[in-house]
Amino acid sequence: MPELVSLRLEDRVAVVTISNPPVNALSPGVPEGLRSSIAAAAADPAVLAIVIIGDGRTFIAGADIREFGKVVSGERPRGSLLPLLREIEDCSKPVIMAIHGTAFGGGLEVAMAGHYRVIAPSAQVGQPEVKLGIIPGAAGTQRLPRLAGVAKAVEMCAFGDPVGARDAQACGVVDAIIEGDLLAGAVSFAREAAGRPHPKTRDRDEKLSNTDPAIFDRARQQAAKTRRGQMAPLAAIDAVESATRLPFDEGCAREAELFDRCLYSTQSKSLIHAFFAERGVSKIPDVPKNTPLFEIRRAAVIGAGTMGGGITMNYANAGIPVIVKETTQEALDRGMATIRKNYASTVKKGKLSQAAMDQRLSLITPQLTYDGFDQADIIAEAVFEGMALKKQVFGEIDAIAKPGCILASNTSYLDIDEIASATHRSELVLGHHYFSPANVMRLLEIVRGKATGKAVLATSMALAKRLNKVGVLAGNARGFIGNRMLTPYLREAQFLVEEGASVEEVNQALYDFGMAMGPLAMGDLAGLDVGWRVRKEFKHLEKPGVRVPLVSDRLCEMGRFGQKTGRGWSRYDENRQASPDPETAALIEQAAREAGIERRNITREEIVDRCILALVNEGAYVLGEGIALRAADIDVVYLNGYAFPAWRGGPMFYADTVGLPAVLARIEEFRQRHGDDLWSPAALLRRLAETGGTFGSLDRQRETSAGG
Ligand code: 3HC
Ligand code: NAI
């Protein structure tokens, strides 16, 4: 195995190279290697200056995130990089950090301890720790304001977004951009620096004086709005503020105190879970890593409605030429107008250039025929939900598509195998279930039919990445993972209003829990008619005598579909601002009276538990039935498709943090009151709760057994 850190001499400059693939994280051995290499270089009279560089695709991408769990569980002591960084800063020879890829977290903290930083034009720097529920823990909140200024440091530490090379140079984080060979540029920079006095970041306080205190107030307000419920962004602001009030060492001590508070929090455990869950989700045990992939060079989409338009944009955004077909010129024009409007609004926000918009539009061919479909490598279907129509369309495209062309349905609930039966290529048929708006939401459920080929699944996973989505494998069950779990969640929200909670109380309780919006507000946004249509399609599957929600069908019968009609559960003004609707309240009361439902006061705690534990219990069924491969996959679905708060880790991780025995006991309570049909605990949940297991431990067990 190559050394984690190596040292060689080049033109009287010591080159210290970190080789800890894939991202040169500061795993055990790396800090030690850096320390001994720097000491050796400092002691060598032949060395004029030192360059630190990363091997492979990046500089240091941060601390090794896997280590945090070991520290929290007591398996490893909490180390500190501070002494190493001080040694680098105190080195008698200039230390030049050569950055490519990403200098993130502890990586940027190491870089800032150097005397100079040079950077490749494509590289990024950042303090993304808040995205893991922690704050910089190696003086990032103290050195960054000294280099970049307080406002920039607050922004970077509290919100965690990366900064490109030019921005980093403009704000003072780096000293030079090296076009061409980074190492050669860094070595020549180092030789020049050798004769000059070299500055210590910790001694530079010119950017700290006269700090406007409003910077912190504004950042706190912004964090309260955009990072609602999260503790780390506020802690990061406090830590940077302390850099303006305390000497460097005391500022570091304050940072350490805040770091520890965050590290030991459930929020941080949840966000770290979410980080690894997203990276584990593309691994499908029976689909080997080296499965050959189909090439996707051209795509075609059928239907330019709400979803088809967004799917078309996804392909164009990834540079893949795409045909979009409709049935009428009017529908096609409407679809293309929406696509143009979406792009234009991104251009207006400054997030896309006009040239890029034009280029993307030039990749889209709108038409009313199947011309060119025989050239497509993948055809995505997004026509109205209905089995008969889906089968007709799949029959048509099967006759036209070239051999090897993948046929993907965006159906929300329908049986993929039945859709595939309309073709002669069921091994090439699967679900690609996007979430609305399809060009924005990151989730893509990849639905495996019984005949879907492994190469088709592997290609779909790779394609998801190319389209900037996170692909999650789902089994072919009604509603797949996400929508299947949503049904009992929405059911409970509706039962709660029938039992006496107001629409506003239900929405507020779930919003305060951390959901982007309450369940009834979500129904109004998505359109109540969507669920109404689905219920009609599956009416024959309803079990007689089992309680069903009473009000949403009535709202739909009255033409109250939610935001788009100005009324649904709530009333909406022309800016789509919601207000309580007394008519809905009266309708609910009347429906409850007619059905003999007793009305009572309902606590916020009950609202949250009924809705969230309905998700958890259905998630446990989904997992037990093998519809999801891992509990973590379910979490990824809910974090990326339903705006579940990442700082709670997803519904299954949340259940683990509550404790499965407590979750089971509460579900049993609901079962006593509402009956077996609605609240039978999943066998898997019961088994885990009774044997001291967790969803996380189950995932780890399965991973170990899959690995051999
Ligand atoms: N520690 C441990 N593993 C890491 C890691 C880290 N800091 N960063 C990435 N990895 C792993 C991933 O889990 C993945 O592993 P896998 O192949 O087994 O699934 C592999 O490296 C590649 O990662 P990605 O799939 O994410 O690769 P990308 O090229 O898409 O992205 C990246 C690379 C931008 C570096 C991205 O991985 C990333 O953002 N990593 C996290 C960076 C971060 O948060 N750093 C701060 C850590 S906390 C810290 O430094 C505290 C300090 O203040 C003391
Ligand atoms: P939509 O009604 O907005 O669009 C459907 C479009 O398909 C219409 O423009 C229609 O003219 C067109 N169409 C019908 N038959 C066609 C044919 N033979 N050839 C070409 N075009 C045809 O519907 P939406 O919401 O886009 O839904 C499409 C599919 O996506 C459905 O299966 C739905 O269940 C699913 N879906 C919808 C989501 C949503 O939030 N709206 C989310 C995820 C999936």
Side-chain angles (χ1 to χ4, degrees):
M1 235 174 70
E3 279 179 291
L4 290 172
V5 181
S6 59
L7 172 65
R8 70 194 157 83
L9 206 57
E10 191 165 306
D11 205 9
R12 296 204 64 194
V13 171
V15 177
V16 176
T17 307
I18 304 151
S19 314
N20 185 25
V23 295
N24 291 327
L26 293 161
S27 317
V30 174
E32 294 78 358
L34 280 172
R35 170 172 282 167
S36 59
S37 297
I38 289 164
D44 184 346
V47 169
L48 295 176
I50 302 166
V51 166
I52 299 183
I53 193 164
D55 200 8
R57 67 202 232 206
T58 185
F59 189 71
I60 302 164
D64 186 334
I65 301 167
R66 288 182 198 279
E67 293 296 308
F68 292 137
K70 298 178 191 161
V71 171
V72 170
S73 69
E75 195 183 317
R76 247 193 233 291
R78 148 104 155 83
S80 172
L81 288 170
L82 291 180
L84 166 67
L85 302 195
R86 189 172 273 270
E87 280 169 34
I88 294 175
E89 210 165 39
D90 288 342
C91 182
S92 56
K93 297 171 184 172
V95 180
I96 287 82
M97 302 289 175
I99 300 168
H100 73 297
T102 47
F104 279 177
L108 179 56
E109 290 170 310
V110 168
M112 291 190 295
H115 305 110
Y116 300 99
R117 284 147 296 280
V118 299
I119 192 165
S122 59
Q124 293 185 318
V125 302
Q127 299 283 180
E129 287 89 341
V130 284
K131 296 186 180 177
L132 301 170
I134 53 175
I135 67 167
T141 62
Q142 307 302 301
R143 285 196 178 88
L144 189 56
R146 287 172 161 83
L147 285 179
V150 175
K152 191 75 183 169
V154 166
E155 183 191 316
M156 288 173 68
C157 295
F159 302 105
D161 291 331
V163 160
R166 306 223 172 264
D167 197 2
Q169 187 185 31
C171 71
V173 174
V174 301
D175 302 286
I177 295 178
I178 307 269
E179 309 278 350
D181 187 313
L182 177 66
L183 179 59
V187 167
S188 95
F189 188 101
R191 284 183 59 84
E192 275 177 36
R196 297 203 301 262
H198 40 282
K200 293 180 185 175
T201 306
R202 69 171 189 266
D203 292 341
R204 295 172 57 175
D205 54 11
E206 67 275 11
K207 289 192 175 175
L208 296 182
S209 48
N210 301 323
T211 301
D212 176 4
I215 292 174
F216 305 110
D217 294 341
R218 273 197 303 272
R220 286 187 182 103
Q221 280 161 16
Q222 193 188 337
K225 225 158 71 194
T226 64
R227 303 292 188 273
R228 188 165 52 91
Q230 297 187 36
M231 62 191 280
L234 295 174
I237 298 166
D238 289 352
V240 177
E241 190 172 23
S242 68
T244 66
R245 298 196 170 155
L246 300 172
F248 181 80
D249 286 340
E250 285 175 41
C252 289
R254 174 81 182 127
E255 180 194 80
E257 197 184 301
L258 290 161
F259 176 88
D260 280 355
R261 204 180 296 162
C262 291
L263 180 66
Y264 287 88
S265 70
T266 303
Q267 292 199 359
S268 150
K269 287 182 197 132
S270 304
L271 284 159
I272 290 174
H273 162 75
F275 177 87
F276 286 116
E278 188 174 322
R279 279 152 184 86
V281 82
S282 61
K283 293 163 192 151
I284 309 175
D286 69 331
V287 177
K289 229 176 159 181
N290 55 2
T291 302
L293 304 182
F294 290 83
E295 265 202 71
I296 304 292
R297 280 168 301 216
R298 290 173 178 282
V301 175
I302 311 180
T306 310
M307 298 305 288
I311 297 168
T312 302
M313 290 175 75
N314 289 336
Y315 281 106
N317 295 347
I320 301 171
V322 54
I323 301 171
V324 55
K325 174 196 178 288
E326 257 295 344
T327 43
T328 64
Q329 191 61 44
E330 195 194 347
L332 192 59
D333 291 346
R334 206 177 327 117
M336 284 306 295
T338 306
I339 290 175
R340 275 194 212 95
K341 198 176 92 203
N342 286 342
Y343 278 134
S345 106
T346 317
V347 169
K348 207 167 154 202
K349 286 184 202 145
K351 292 183 179 164
L352 186 75
S353 69
Q354 184 62 47
M357 165 174 164
D358 295 344
Q359 200 269 337
R360 288 177 193 192
L361 281 171
S362 75
L363 292 171
I364 302 174
T365 310
Q367 62 188 44
L368 297 175
T369 66
Y370 281 126
D371 285 355
F373 271 59
D374 56 346
Q375 301 298 310
D377 301 301
I378 183 163
I379 301 176
E381 167 278 310
V383 302
F384 302 126
E385 186 83 338
M387 185 53 90
L389 176 62
K390 301 272 184 198
K391 283 172 88 168
Q392 181 206 318
V393 167
F394 270 72
E396 287 168 12
I397 53 182
D398 183 44
I400 299 163
K402 68 182 178 185
C405 173
I406 296 174
L407 308 184
S409 173
N410 188 48
T411 177
S412 310
Y413 288 91
L414 299 173
D415 180 349
I416 294 296
D417 293 332
E418 195 177 340
I419 295 175
S421 72
T423 73
H424 298 92
R425 58 173 88 202
S426 45
E427 73 288 356
L428 289 160
V429 177
L430 80 172
H432 276 189
H433 182 217
Y434 294 85
F435 288 73
S436 182
N439 52 312
V440 176
M441 297 301 283
R442 289 189 69 223
L443 179 62
L444 173 63
E445 280 184 339
I446 297 172
V447 187
R448 181 177 198 164
K450 66 175 186 285
T452 311
K454 292 183 182 182
V456 176
L457 296 174
T459 303
S460 297
M461 277 295 175
L463 180 64
K465 282 206 179 114
R466 221 173 134 193
L467 302 185
N468 202 16
K469 303 285 168 198
V470 40
V472 179
L473 189 76
N476 180 27
R478 179 153 57 106
F480 316 121
I481 298 174
N483 283 347
R484 166 155 169 195
M485 289 167 62
L486 197 67
T487 304
Y489 172 75
L490 295 179
R491 178 197 75 200
E492 288 304 312
Q494 296 176 67
F495 284 174
L496 285 158
V497 291
E498 291 169 12
E499 289 166 31
S502 69
V503 167
E504 292 68 40
E505 282 167 345
V506 170
N507 281 336
Q508 190 66 43
L510 273 306
Y511 178 80
D512 291 345
F513 174 82
M515 303 298 289
M517 65 184 78
L520 303 171
M522 186 177 89
D524 278 351
L525 174 68
L528 299 178
D529 53 320
V530 177
W532 189 36
R533 260 192 223 119
V534 173
R535 283 192 296 280
K536 283 188 201 161
E537 176 108 18
F538 292 105
K539 194 93 194 149
H540 61 287
L541 296 179
E542 274 175 17
K543 219 168 141 189
V546 177
R547 181 179 172 191
V548 289
L550 303 169
V551 180
S552 50
D553 285 358
R554 293 194 195 179
L555 290 171
C556 289
E557 283 154 15
M558 295 161 74
R560 293 175 53 159
F561 294 159
Q563 287 196 16
K564 61 187 168 192
T565 55
R567 295 182 85 174
W569 290 103
S570 301
R571 193 189 280 271
Y572 295 89
D573 66 15
E574 59 285 5
N575 300 317
R576 298 201 166 201
Q577 283 298 315
S579 58
D581 190 331
E583 253 183 53
T584 313
L587 195 67
I588 294 168
E589 267 184 55
Q590 188 196 341
R593 209 173 29 246
E594 285 167 11
I597 296 168
E598 184 201 335
R599 308 263 296 166
R600 61 194 166 88
N601 280 333
I602 297 180
T603 62
R604 290 157 69 89
E605 189 199 6
E606 179 176 348
I607 295 173
V608 169
D609 285 355
R610 292 263 300 271
C611 293
I612 299 296
L613 299 188
L615 268 186
V616 170
N617 197 33
E618 197 64 26
Y621 277 110
V622 160
L623 192 58
E625 291 166 24
I627 305 305
L629 285 173
R630 291 163 279 247
D633 289 16
I634 297 177
D635 289 335
V636 173
V637 165
Y638 264 79
L639 298 177
N640 293 284
Y642 298 86
F644 196 94
W647 52 273
R648 292 199 189 267
M652 310 317 277
F653 190 81
Y654 169 73
D656 279 351
T657 62
V658 171
L660 295 190
V663 167
L664 178 63
R666 192 78 166 130
I667 291 177
E668 285 290 5
E669 233 181 85
F670 296 146
R671 192 231 290 255
Q672 297 282 329
R673 191 185 305 164
H674 302 283
D676 284 359
D677 287 314
L678 300 172
W679 279 103
S680 274
L684 175 65
L685 172 63
R686 183 182 292 287
R687 177 167 64 77
L688 290 172
E690 289 175 352
T691 57
T694 59
F695 291 116
S697 64
L698 180 72
D699 279 358
R700 284 188 290 278
Q701 254 170 35
R702 287 182 176 179
E703 194 181 328
T704 314
S705 50

